[in-house]
Amino acid sequence: MMCKVKKTYPLWGFLLSFPLWTVSCVDNKYDLDKDIDMTVNVGGEHLTIPAGSSDTAYLSKIIEVEEGDILQPDAATRVYHLTKKDDINVEPTTVKEVTIDETTTNLSSTEIVNATSSSSSSNVEVSAPVTTSGDFEAKSNNIDEALKELGALYAKTPVDLNLKIDFTNTGDLSFTKVKANKLKIVFPDYIVFKAEEGIQGHELILDGQVLSEDGSSYSRTLKVEGYEFSKNPGSGEKPVDGTLTIVGEISMEGDVITSGISGSGTLSLVPTAVLGEMTINSVNGVIQPNIKAETTNIELNDLPDFLKDEETRLDITNPVILLIANNPLETPVEVDAVLTPMKNNTQIEGKKVEIGSGYDKDPVKLTPGDNVIALSRTGESSLEGVTANVKVEDMNNLLETIPDDIEVDLQPVVRYEEYYTAELGIAYEMPSSYEVDVPLSFEQGLNIVYNDSIQDLNKDLNDLDKVGLKNVKVILSVDNAIPLKLQLKAENVQIKDVYGNELSAVKKTIEEDKQYVAESADGEKPATSELVLNLTSDDTAFLSKIDRICFKITAVTGTTTGVPLKDTQWLKITSIKLSVPGGVNVDLN
C-alpha cells in the first residue's frame, strides 16, 4: 500500500555523520555550557535528507475487493466493473375470457299454401317462393378492458347453431310433405362455421330436402367456431363500456314445394336459428393488456471506501443497465421506467432518469421472445447477447453521487395498434431481470477520493528533539500509471503523533505548482510528478513528534478520458525526502 514507507536513512544518524571541528586545547576557565554557544548549523543554505520510498501500490491493493463484492475486475481485461444482477418481479398477465350469450333469431313466417276450398289431391304439388329474414344479435358483457378492438373471436369448443323450420296452418288444412327447392339460408358473413357438407361459405343450400312430413318440423345443427370481423385494424368490433354487441341478419330465399294438400286454410313456414352460449378463449385484434411490475431496488452495497466517500463524484463514460425479459405476447411490449437514485432513504435531488416513449425519450421495445436491452449513455454496448441498444444520455445521473440504491419503477405497456392473437384466460408469464455493468472509465466530471497515510515516522524522527528547525518540506516523487489526475490539498493533510492526536500547531501548505500528480495518458506508461508539502511550527522540536502524515488525495479533471481503470495499474512514491531550507541548527550541549 501507499502508506508503507521504507525508512532507509535515520535522520539523527545522518546528521551525526557530518564531521565536526576539533580543538587541540581547551582553557579550563571557559564553561562550554555557559560561555560558548554550542549550536552548530549543518547543511548551509539547503539540507535535503532522504527518508525512503514506498512500495508500488497497485490498484488491486488500493481498491481492495472481495469475492461477492459488486466491484470486480474482469477476468480477461482486468478492467474494474461495478456489476449487479437480480430478478424483476412482473405479475402474470391475463386477459379474461369472453362469454357471448345465447341468441335466438326469429325469421318472419312465410305463407306457402293458401287453400280456399276443401279439396284433396295427393298428386298436386304447390310451389311457393320463400323470402324471409330476421335480425341476428349476440351480446357479451364485462369485456376485459385490454380488448380494444376485435378482429376475430374463436370459441374454446365449437358451439351448436340449431336451425329449425316449423310449419303452422289454419282452418282444416292438411298436407303430406314439404320439400325444399334450392332453398338458401344466408348467415352473417362474420360467423365462422366448422367445415361440413352443405355449408358453402356462409350459405346453407337445401335442395330436394324434405322439410316436413305429416306436419313435422325440420332441424339442422351447424357447428360455429367463432367470429371473424376484419383483418385490418380500424374496421373490427369495438366494445363500448365493456359490452360487445354483434348484429347482423339471417335470411332465407328460394322455393318450397308442398304436396298432399287437403281442406282449406293457410300453411306457413316459420324458421328459427338459435346459437348457443359461446366461450371465447382466443382473440385476434388490438389487445393492450395491463402489465404490472413491482418496484425494484438495485442495491449498491459492498463498495470500496473511495466510492462511498461523500465527496466522490463519478462521470462514467458508458454505464450500462441490461433489461432482460421474455415477452410471451405476439406483440411488442414497450417499457417506460423511472430510475431514482436514493441515499439515506432520500431521493438524490435532480438525478432522476426517465426512460421510454411515455416520457418522450427513445422507445424501449421488447419484441416477442427473448430480449436483452442495453440502456447506456452512448447507445452502444459490447456486452454479449445484447439484442438492442437504447441511448439514455443522462444515465450517469444515477451514479454521479454513488447512491445506496436505485429505485426502478418499470411500467410495461402495449401501445401496439395492429392485430395480433392472444389466448384468453391464461397467465402470460414475463420472466425479467436486470444486470448493471459499469466499467470504471471516466470522463471530465470525475471526482473520487482516496485516503492513505505515511506511518511510523516517529521511529526515525524522535531523536530530532535536539535539532532546532521551524520549517520542513516533505517532497514526494510520484510515478502514476493510473489514468487519473490526482491532487493533494493542504486541508486534506493531517499531522499526527504516536497517540493518534493531531498536531494542530503544525501549519501545512502545498506549493502551488507542486500539488498535482499527473495522470497516465493510456493507463500503461507512468507519468512522473513531484508533490511538495510545507510544514511549519513555532515548536522547534515539532519534527521529532510526528509519527503519521495522513492525506486525502482527490482525482480532478485531467486530459485523459475514456481510459478504464484496471487492477494492474499502479502508483509509486519513488522517493520521500525531508528538505530543510537554511539547514538545521544542532545543539551540541
Side-chain angles (χ1 to χ4, degrees), residues 329-521:
L329 301 175
E330 295 180 10
T331 186
V333 175
E334 290 196 33
V335 177
D336 296 336
V338 177
L339 285 69
T340 306
M342 306 288 291
K343 201 168 187 68
N344 299 322
N345 296 318
T346 304
Q347 295 184 14
I348 299 177
E349 190 68 29
K351 299 303 179 181
K352 181 170 62 178
V353 174
E354 296 173 337
I355 294 170
S357 59
Y359 296 101
D360 297 323
K361 303 294 181 64
D362 291 344
V364 180
K365 289 187 178 181
L366 303 177
T367 58
D370 292 329
N371 294 266
V372 181
I373 310 295
L375 310 173
S376 64
R377 188 177 187 179
T378 65
E380 298 177 354
S381 172
S382 59
L383 296 178
E384 188 174 342
V386 171
T387 58
N389 284 283
V390 177
K391 188 174 185 178
V392 184
E393 292 182 346
D394 55 351
M395 180 70 82
N396 191 70
N397 281 0
L398 302 174
L399 300 167
E400 183 177 346
T401 298
I402 291 290
D404 299 328
D405 59 279
I406 300 172
E407 283 190 359
V408 181
D409 180 17
L410 285 181
Q411 303 143 23
V413 59
V414 178
R415 295 191 174 96
Y416 198 62
E417 296 189 352
E418 299 296 323
Y419 282 179
Y420 71 97
T421 299
E423 300 300 313
L424 306 183
I426 68 169
Y428 282 100
E429 302 280 351
M430 187 177 289
S432 304
S433 61
Y434 71 83
E435 290 188 17
V436 176
D437 188 281
V438 181
L440 294 192
S441 178
F442 302 110
E443 295 298 313
Q444 295 287 357
L446 171 69
N447 176 23
I448 70 170
V449 176
Y450 172 62
N451 295 281
D452 210 331
S453 62
I454 303 173
Q455 304 181 54
D456 300 327
L457 295 174
N458 191 253
K459 287 188 290 187
D460 292 330
L461 301 181
N462 62 359
D463 291 335
L464 297 183
D465 55 340
K466 297 183 180 296
V467 176
L469 54 85
K470 293 185 177 183
N471 183 13
V472 170
K473 290 185 178 183
V474 181
I475 303 171
L476 307 175
S477 295
V478 183
D479 281 353
N480 181 20
I482 303 171
L484 298 176
K485 184 177 181 179
L486 307 172
Q487 181 182 22
L488 180 62
K489 297 180 180 179
E491 60 266 28
N492 290 336
V493 177
Q494 287 185 318
I495 309 300
K496 296 185 177 183
D497 62 18
V498 292
Y499 304 105
N501 299 315
E502 185 173 2
L503 299 175
S504 56
V506 179
K507 297 178 181 178
K508 304 151 295 186
T509 59
I510 306 290
E511 292 192 7
E512 183 65 28
D513 59 345
K514 298 292 184 178
Q515 59 179 310
Y516 295 106
V517 176
E519 73 273 33
S520 169

